[in-house]
Each structure stands twice: as structure tokens, then as C-alpha cells.
Amino acid sequence: MERTFIMIKPDGVQRNLVGEVIQRFEKKGFKLAGLKMLNVSQELAEKHYEIHKDKPFFGGLVKFITSSPVVGMVWEGEGVVASSRLIIGATNPQTANPGTIRGDYGITIGRNLIHGSDAVENAEKEIALWFEKEELVSWEAAMDSWLYE
């Protein structure tokens, strides 16, 4: 079963959207395998955004993600990485479709509420960066037989 990393960024936490985000993934039928709220250290922020380290906005990303608590989650399900990207919506909330998290709640690209892994390989890296193995739970949901053949 595929897993992905989802993070509700500081603006999503501050705007009390944590429950709304969780509800959207649950209603889709995905299974929560890990959940924690934390203050992001400078080191963790820099590792998470290291792909952008040579870009002019890197410092702003790190400063923002360390400014307030975030909620990190691991979701599980068939095709969860691609489906999550659709639930989240385009990076720029102004072009995100209505019905997506960013389309419904986002205002600007710099405050777009949520991060989601963009590929299975990146999901594996991000999960390993944000969670210890013992923080993740494998479990069988009663509805699994109604979701998967």
C-alpha cells in the first residue's frame, strides 16, 4: 500500500483548518498512519526544503515553516500520492480549482496551507525525514474491503 507525507503548514494551523484537512483525506477513504504536531527546527526545515537551497526564496520558506507549529501526517492508500495532489490543488491558490484545499481556502502562493509529496520516491524520503518508524502505525480498517477489490 502506498504512503504519502502531508503537512499542514503554519497558516493552516493558525487558521484552524487541521480538522477540515484531515476530514477530506478520511472522506476520500485514505487511512491515517501517522500524525503529529510540532514546532519545526531550523535544521529540519532546511533539510525539507534543500531542493530549493540555491533559490532566492529559500530563506523565506525556512522562516515561514519555523514560525508556528505544523501538523505532519502520513496517509496510506492505493494511489495516495497522486490523489493527494488532486485533493490539495495547484501550488498557487489563485489557480487552484474550487473543491481543492488550496482552491477553497488559499489566498496567496506564499501561504498555501499545505504540503504534499509530489512523487512516491519523495514521499518515502519525506516520511523518513519527518517520522521515526515506530511513530507509524499499520492497521486494517473495517472499510478496506469496501474500498479495494
Side-chain angles (χ1 to χ4, degrees), residues 6 22 26 57 60 63 65 75 82 104-105 123 130 138 140 148:
I6 301 294
I22 290 172
E26 285 181 328
F57 56 84
K63 183 177 180 183
I65 211 72
W75 289 92
D104 290 350
Y105 300 109
W130 289 85
S138 292
E140 189 172 319
Y148 304 110

Side-chain angles (χ1 to χ4, degrees), residues 2-89:
E2 192 175 286
R3 286 183 168 178
T4 194
F5 175 71
I6 301 294
M7 174 179 42
I8 303 171
K9 296 178 183 179
D11 52 330
V13 173
Q14 290 290 337
R15 292 179 57 196
N16 297 313
L17 294 171
V18 173
E20 172 68 25
V21 170
I22 290 172
Q23 186 178 50
R24 289 192 183 208
F25 284 87
E26 285 181 328
K27 283 185 175 182
K28 179 69 175 175
F30 295 132
K31 210 168 14 177
L32 188 60
L35 172 72
K36 63 181 170 181
M37 184 174 203
L38 68 150
N39 289 309
V40 182
S41 69
Q42 181 84 17
E43 179 185 4
L44 179 56
E46 289 176 358
K47 282 183 185 174
H48 180 76
Y49 287 122
E50 74 181 344
I51 191 169
H52 301 299
K53 68 181 172 192
D54 296 327
K55 296 182 179 151
F57 56 84
F58 176 74
L61 285 175
V62 171
K63 183 177 180 183
F64 174 62
I65 211 72
T66 59
S67 68
S68 182
V70 303
V71 174
M73 299 175 282
V74 176
W75 289 92
E76 185 176 276
E78 285 188 25
V80 71
V81 173
S83 290
S84 294
R85 300 293 294 176
L86 294 173
I87 292 168
I88 290 168

Side-chain angles (χ1 to χ4, degrees), residues 78-133:
E78 285 188 25
V80 71
V81 173
S83 290
S84 294
R85 300 293 294 176
L86 294 173
I87 292 168
I88 290 168
T91 302
N92 185 344
Q94 293 177 5
T95 60
N97 290 327
T100 65
I101 293 167
R102 289 177 177 152
D104 290 350
Y105 300 109
I107 305 295
T108 65
I109 197 165
R111 301 290 183 266
N112 65 7
L113 306 168
I114 189 168
H115 165 83
S117 301
D118 62 358
V120 173
E121 304 79 36
N122 288 337
E124 291 169 358
K125 290 176 192 172
E126 290 175 345
I127 291 167
L129 180 64
W130 289 85
F131 284 86
E132 300 293 328
K133 275 191 173 186

